[in-house]
Every structure is written in C-alpha cells, then in structure tokens.
Amino acid sequence: MEQSLNLPLETVYIQRIDGTRLGPFEARLEPSKALIWEVTLNAGAGDTLEHHRPGGGVVRHLLTNTHFQPRMTGVEAHYTLRWRSE
C-alpha cells in the first residue's frame, strides 16, 4: 500500500454482509467518508466499516457507496468509501 499524501492514517476493517472480515487497512478518515489506498478492496454498499481507535474503542459505519479512483499524477490509486453512522 502506498499513499501520496502525508496525512494521519487510522486503522479500519471491513465487515462484509456475508460476515467476512477484511483488513486491517490504513485509511484517511473524513466526515462521512474514508480513503483507503488499496487497489483490490472488495467492499460495497451494505458492508460495515469498523474504525479501531487508538484508545481501543471501535466505531462502526454502514457503507452507502464505494468508488475506485485509478492512479493520477501525484495521487495513488485508492477507494473512497462513503458511510452513514449506525
């Protein structure tokens, strides 16, 4: 995994609708969305993003949309995940 921005990253997991758990992934979290620099992410609407906070807590968000962005000048390929809080 490679990223082009020097931003703080958080640890997240994806819980698939079928119960499969993927991760851990490093992600940049923003209000209502996450950026994950992973080109083979297998997640979609209805899955759950689990944000594991440094203090040990876990926050879960229901994914509403995923979008893959191919590599562009200065920006590595990544997924944008949009969510709503559970």
Side-chain angles (χ1 to χ4, degrees):
M1 180 182 76
E2 185 177 338
Q3 64 154 336
S4 62
L5 303 173
N6 292 323
L7 300 169
L9 297 175
E10 303 286 340
T11 300
V12 299
Y13 291 82
I14 302 295
Q15 181 80 35
R16 297 285 317 231
I17 292 173
D18 67 4
T20 305
R21 190 166 188 243
L22 309 172
F25 301 106
E26 290 183 325
R28 177 177 173 222
L29 300 180
E30 298 178 6
S32 300
K33 76 175 180 180
L35 303 176
I36 298 179
W37 282 266
E38 173 66 46
V39 297
T40 60
L41 187 66
N42 187 14
D47 294 342
T48 301
L49 180 129
E50 298 177 350
H51 173 206
H52 289 250
R53 295 187 176 195
V58 177
V59 178
R60 290 175 177 79
H61 304 285
L62 182 64
L63 296 181
T64 58
N65 184 294
T66 62
H67 173 74
F68 178 70
Q69 175 63 56
R71 185 171 197 257
M72 300 182 324
T73 303
V75 179
E76 294 298 322
H78 66 277
Y79 272 88
T80 300
L81 309 176
R82 298 206 180 266
W83 72 67
R84 68 173 184 249
S85 296
E86 290 191 321

